[in-house]
Amino acid sequence: MYKQIKVPHSFARCVRDFSALAYWKANELKVFMFYTGVPTLINFLPMPYYEHFCLYAFIIRSLCDRDLKSSAIENLEKLLFIWHKGIEKLYGVFELTFTAHAHLHLPQQVKIKVFIE
């Protein structure tokens, strides 16, 4: 029914379909988060959930940028708080787990990495 998304040759592997999600390798998750997730999910998620995913994908991809400036890190930190508030609104208070909270500390880790380098 749906065609498989073809990725550039430089990618280590194609992303398997969602039935194999539990078996995806880290690289498959990275390809999905950075490249294929946003265009793929637009037709499958209700708009509030899709926008929440897009915000998360933007934040994570931006935090991985090697040329990220300190001021941009501060802006991403603010966006992370908006994303975190969206978890409770969309998924409920029980999804505010330690893992979700730990995401709020990613900008500080990036700042430390940038400062060390």
Side-chain angles (χ1 to χ4, degrees):
M1 182 172 181
Y2 294 101
K3 293 183 178 181
Q4 181 180 10
I5 294 175
K6 296 192 179 198
V7 296
H9 296 292
S10 59
F11 289 13
R13 66 173 67 231
C14 287
V15 176
R16 292 177 273 184
D17 71 30
F18 286 106
S19 65
L21 182 64
Y23 304 102
W24 280 13
K25 303 293 184 188
N27 193 52
E28 290 172 287
L29 289 168
K30 179 180 142 186
V31 168
F32 181 77
M33 179 61 63
F34 284 9
Y35 306 105
T36 62
V38 170
T40 300
L41 294 178
I42 193 165
N43 295 320
F44 296 99
L45 292 179
M47 195 50 63
Y49 294 89
Y50 176 72
E51 290 171 348
H52 193 249
F53 174 80
C54 288
L55 178 61
Y56 180 71
F58 173 77
I59 293 166
I60 297 302
R61 188 169 185 182
S62 297
L63 286 171
C64 292
D65 185 358
R66 294 179 190 267
D67 298 323
L68 193 60
K69 305 287 186 246
S70 183
S71 60
I73 295 172
E74 292 172 14
N75 290 333
L76 291 170
E77 191 169 24
K78 293 173 186 172
L79 288 175
L80 263 173
F81 279 102
I82 294 169
W83 170 80
H84 193 265
K85 287 180 184 177
I87 293 172
E88 182 177 2
K89 181 180 173 187
L90 294 171
Y91 302 101
V93 68
F94 294 105
E95 296 303 322
L96 291 174
T97 62
F98 174 76
T99 302
H101 172 80
H103 279 73
L104 297 175
H105 299 285
L106 290 174
Q108 291 98 349
Q109 293 176 0
V110 172
K111 281 182 185 176
I112 291 169
K113 184 176 186 270
V114 169
F115 180 72
I116 291 173
E117 292 177 354

